[in-house]
Amino acid sequence: MQRNLVLAASLLISGQIVASNDIQAVKVSGAAGLQLASELPTGTIVIDRQMIDSLPASDLTEVLDSVAGLQSSQLYGINGAGASVDLLSFGGTGNQNTLILLNGRRLTGIDLGAPELTGIPLAAIERIDILPGAGAALYGNGATGGTINIITRQRYQNSAGVEASTGSFNTEGGQLYATAGRENLSGALAGQSLRSDGYRENNRTRNKNLFADLRYQGEGFKAYFTATGQEQYTGLPGGRSVTATENQFRNDPEGTDNPDDNVDQNSYWLMPGLRINVSDRTALTLDAARRRQHQEFDFVSGSYTSDTVIDTYSLTPKLEGQLTTGGAVHNWTLGFDLYKYGYISDTSFGNRDLEQDQRAWYLHNLISVTPKLSVSAGARRLESTLSGEGDNKEQDGEMYEGGLRYTFTGNLALFAGAQRSVRIANLDELTPFNPPIDPQTGRTYTLGASWSEGIQHSTLTLWRAEIENEILFDPASFTNRNLDDPTVHKGISINSRWRLDKDLTLTANASAQQARFDGGQYSGNDVPLVPEHTMSVSADWQALPWLSAQLSHRYLGDRHYDSDLANEYTKLDHYRSTDLQLTARYRGAYLRAGGYNLENHLVADYGVYSAGTGGTTLYPLPERHYRVAIGYEF
């Protein structure tokens, strides 16, 4: 679904944080106050505060797109609208196989829409933990390709700021923010508005966002409350067709055949929480949440309308602690997740009123056997109940994960991990027109190394995932269904960061990957929308005391069009794109100017093949464009 622009409020929060110069591994188990770095037996990548600031990125999807093994694809290229996230090569179902969290709470929902990442203020993020091929036992349903946990800052100090921005396509924006901290209480409040005509006809966007966060640190406990609110209108220009007689993509990329299609949506999210220190080595966390999402689609071109409301309630208590047995230190987590979903949809084809409950118990233990060797193991039991269409539908699944990590002298660590994951079909996939869909299960194996020496830190990860009953849309039957035969996903990625001197940092990430059907009518064919190679290189240079420059270059390899399971059509072309951003500062004032897709290439992240017409439809991304912002920080 369409999503809002990230609040680019620079220095929204000025909390004191020790930001690493390197991409590091980080443990996600145990008491939240513990940072047991480099222990988790996966190729965990941490995007810290410094790395976020070093990228010429205006929204969270652009930040994630810099990581090897993770692909962020956009439909319209306007502030992340319609973007999808794919970890470990699942192509068109990447959103459903990548579990996204905010402070450990699920952002991934029960429909086909991608989580609204652009509603999270970019400057409010302390770090992003990316766990390739891991997280099923700790976080649950849908972590087949792995988990992305977005973690906001935990402490605010006194600051405020204002910013105005403009850019290509008649883009105008403005934002205000304020943060404050006194003794045990701190908080933040920010608001943003954006208007843009967009790159294409009927590509206009109107966004309004609010973000609030309040935190209190008491004696032996911590209380917190986070709230977000979003309103967005987006025009839907659709794709540009390429047939034997016409090439709209090349001849008229800015045009549209759908001048009146649009989506109007709003949402809010309330997240109270309480963390209590039960003892010196044990803590109880009580988190709850209430979300409401309302979307109105008007597809005039297809005489189709829909009005959908999704209500989500969650309660996710957990008990965490540390225990010593002999010479081993156990960092354990015992938790229970309860999610209750209400789904009401009125469409031109009929109405649906559904409810789904998901309940899960889980236990995870990360053991430091010796100062050099750590072992992890976890298990989760999931039960799901769907009601509203005939008899209640009961489904369940068991998830496991574990691994080990050994650190040699000289900051070289080897790791190996495995997990069994489960994905239950979402409510958009479970339509009355589809056959029954069983839970998808996967076995994922990761192996790799991380090493650091002086100016650099690097992580190398190899992965292999074998998926049974994979859920996908089959264009031959025009239904969502389980595949009769498995798919195999495998690849290798390298993420490396170099501090060349005090003023220059270089990041170089790359991956080679393959996803194929392993049996059945599509045996040996590639899974659509999975690029063979990806690469991202960026440099952050403090050229002068008052001037900094961020330069990035992205490469996305060839991949088959969506719906081309038979691999009968040519591939969607690879492309390169270069972005440059300059920031000048004088005391509290700053001027930021960026140029994007500097080579002026005409490219597309997404394209779909139609066997009936023998043609394709592509979604053009903006050619060369610019953004300028001026602001002041108090």
Side-chain angles (χ1 to χ4, degrees):
M1 303 297 178
Q2 313 309 306
R3 297 188 284 185
N4 300 337
L5 176 71
V6 170
L7 288 171
S10 178
L11 296 179
L12 169 67
I13 302 137
S14 56
Q16 296 300 311
I17 296 173
V18 179
S20 168
N21 292 330
D22 302 325
I23 302 175
Q24 302 179 26
V26 65
K27 181 178 286 187
V28 296
S29 183
L34 300 176
Q35 291 300 316
L36 303 177
S38 73
E39 294 284 341
L40 192 70
T42 67
T44 303
I45 302 301
V46 175
I47 305 177
D48 62 19
R49 187 66 246 168
Q50 181 177 355
M51 185 172 179
I52 293 172
D53 291 336
S54 72
L55 294 169
S58 63
D59 61 62
L60 185 51
T61 58
E62 292 178 357
V63 173
L64 294 175
D65 207 29
S66 67
V67 177
L70 192 160
Q71 181 188 351
S72 175
S73 300
Q74 301 194 50
L75 285 180
Y76 303 117
I78 299 297
N79 312 320
S84 63
V85 176
D86 180 12
L87 186 56
L88 300 195
S89 65
F90 282 84
T93 61
N95 281 333
Q96 287 71 57
N97 287 287
T98 303
L99 179 57
I100 301 180
L101 313 168
L102 177 63
N103 294 327
R105 308 191 209 189
R106 298 178 67 94
L107 276 173
T108 302
I110 58 167
D111 60 347
L112 284 173
E116 296 183 3
L117 298 184
T118 49
I120 304 170
L122 193 61
I125 298 172
E126 178 178 327
R127 73 178 192 272
I128 305 168
D129 295 347
I130 301 171
L131 287 67
L138 269 172
Y139 300 116
N141 176 39
T144 310
T147 306
I148 300 172
N149 191 13
I150 304 158
I151 301 168
T152 59
R153 299 192 186 186
Q154 303 301 301
R155 176 69 186 173
Y156 303 100
Q157 294 182 342
N158 297 333
S159 67
V162 60
E163 180 181 286
S165 61
T166 187
S168 302
F169 321 126
N170 294 321
T171 300
E172 297 177 346
Q175 56 195 13
L176 296 167
Y177 72 89
T179 68
R182 183 177 181 182
E183 297 179 349
N184 296 336
L185 183 65
S186 67
L189 179 65
Q192 181 261 356
S193 177
L194 177 86
R195 299 171 62 89
S196 177
D197 289 345
Y199 166 61
R200 300 175 55 197
E201 297 176 20
N202 190 31
N203 199 183
R204 58 194 176 279
T205 298
R206 306 288 186 264
N207 296 335
K208 294 180 181 178
N209 296 329
L210 284 175
F211 174 86
D213 196 18
L214 185 65
R215 296 182 176 271
Y216 180 81
Q217 180 68 59
E219 184 68 28
F221 75 95
K222 178 169 62 175
Y224 40 91
F225 179 78
T226 304
T228 66
Q230 306 167 13
E231 291 184 358
Q232 181 186 54
Y233 171 90
T234 306
L236 304 176
R240 305 305 284 149
S241 66
V242 177
T243 66
T245 59
E246 185 179 21
N247 192 330
Q248 292 181 336
F249 177 72
R250 291 292 177 189
N251 299 331
D252 186 20
E254 299 179 28
T256 179
D257 292 331
N258 312 321
D260 300 311
D261 293 358
N262 65 85
V263 56
D264 202 345
Q265 57 188 0
N266 59 76
S267 65
Y268 66 82
W269 195 7
L270 308 177
M271 295 168 283
L274 179 66
R275 183 176 178 82
I276 305 169
N277 294 331
V278 179
S279 68
D280 291 341
R281 306 182 75 180
T282 308
L284 174 65
T285 299
L286 300 171
D287 284 342
R290 163 78 162 99
R291 293 180 69 186
R292 184 178 179 87
Q293 303 161 269
H294 182 201
Q295 299 172 328
E296 294 182 90
F297 282 89
D298 190 1
F299 292 98
V300 177
S301 60
S303 300
Y304 171 76
T305 62
S306 71
D307 188 335
T308 302
V309 175
I310 301 175
D311 286 306
T312 304
Y313 299 88
S314 66
L315 182 63
T316 55
K318 62 182 176 181
L319 190 65
E320 302 168 288
Q322 193 175 83
L323 173 67
T324 301
T325 58
V329 179
H330 301 257
N331 297 276
W332 56 268
T333 304
L334 173 64
F336 175 73
D337 291 348
L338 173 62
Y339 285 87
K340 298 181 70 69
Y341 301 98
Y343 179 93
I344 300 176
S345 182
D346 297 332
T347 75
S348 303
F349 298 121
N351 303 330
R352 305 182 80 197
D353 188 347
L354 306 174
E355 293 184 356
Q356 185 181 62
D357 294 350
Q358 292 186 8
R359 307 164 300 279
W361 286 97
Y362 65 95
L363 175 64
H364 191 275
N365 191 13
L366 181 53
I367 310 168
S368 297
V369 181
T370 70
K372 292 186 177 182
L373 176 65
S374 63
V375 178
S376 74
R380 172 182 288 257
R381 170 71 179 180
L382 170 69
E383 296 178 349
S384 174
T385 302
L386 176 65
S387 59
E389 290 180 341
D391 296 335
N392 290 353
K393 184 177 182 61
E394 304 281 350
Q395 291 187 317
D396 56 43
E398 295 178 350
M399 288 159 264
Y400 308 98
E401 62 182 313
L404 56 87
R405 185 182 190 95
Y406 188 85
T407 303
F408 296 87
T409 303
N411 296 321
L412 170 64
L414 300 180
F415 58 84
Q419 79 164 4
R420 183 184 192 271
S421 61
V422 171
R423 179 169 94 82
I424 294 175
N426 62 57
L427 298 189
D428 284 341
E429 292 170 322
L430 292 172
T431 69
F433 308 104
N434 290 321
I437 299 178
D438 295 324
Q440 168 189 301
T441 60
R443 298 186 304 275
T444 306
Y445 309 93
T446 57
L447 177 71
S450 63
W451 64 97
S452 59
E453 184 176 356
I455 63 174
Q456 72 85 32
H457 184 94
S458 301
T459 300
L460 177 71
T461 302
L462 295 89
W463 74 82
R464 178 183 175 90
E466 301 168 357
I467 313 301
E468 302 284 346
N469 286 331
E470 181 160 355
I471 304 168
L472 87 171
F473 177 77
D474 184 357
S477 60
F478 210 74
T479 61
N480 298 293
R481 67 176 182 89
N482 294 113
L483 284 178
D484 297 328
D485 297 282
T487 59
V488 176
H489 307 249
K490 56 186 178 180
I492 181 172
S493 65
I494 176 73
N495 287 273
S496 185
R497 188 165 172 83
W498 299 71
R499 184 70 180 265
L500 300 182
D501 62 34
K502 65 182 182 64
D503 296 324
L504 180 61
T505 301
L506 179 68
T507 301
N509 304 327
S511 70
Q513 54 195 12
Q514 182 186 84
R516 286 188 173 168
F517 301 101
D518 191 25
Q521 68 183 105
Y522 304 119
S523 182
N525 291 354
D526 292 330
V527 174
L529 295 180
V530 176
E532 297 175 352
H533 304 92
T534 67
M535 181 189 70
S536 174
V537 179
S538 64
D540 181 22
W541 180 35
Q542 189 67 43
L544 298 168
W546 56 271
L547 179 65
S548 63
Q550 294 83 38
L551 178 68
S552 71
H553 183 77
R554 177 197 184 210
Y555 171 82
L556 187 69
D558 297 339
R559 61 271 189 222
H560 286 281
Y561 285 86
D562 198 8
S563 294
D564 187 15
L565 279 64
N567 291 179
E568 61 186 17
Y569 197 76
T570 57
K571 291 184 177 182
L572 186 59
D573 287 340
H574 65 272
Y575 73 83
R576 305 173 187 270
S577 181
T578 303
D579 303 332
L580 173 64
Q581 180 174 279
L582 301 174
T583 303
R585 294 184 177 273
Y586 178 74
R587 296 182 178 177
Y590 63 88
L591 175 65
R592 181 179 297 114
Y596 309 90
N597 189 8
L598 295 178
E599 301 98 326
N600 203 33
H601 293 318
L602 177 60
V603 301
D605 269 349
Y606 179 79
V608 60
Y609 169 69
S610 171
T613 64
T616 60
T617 301
L618 294 92
Y619 289 73
L621 295 181
E623 296 168 89
R624 186 185 298 120
H625 57 288
Y626 308 92
R627 288 195 296 260
V628 177
I630 185 170
Y632 193 88
E633 297 159 352
F634 300 91

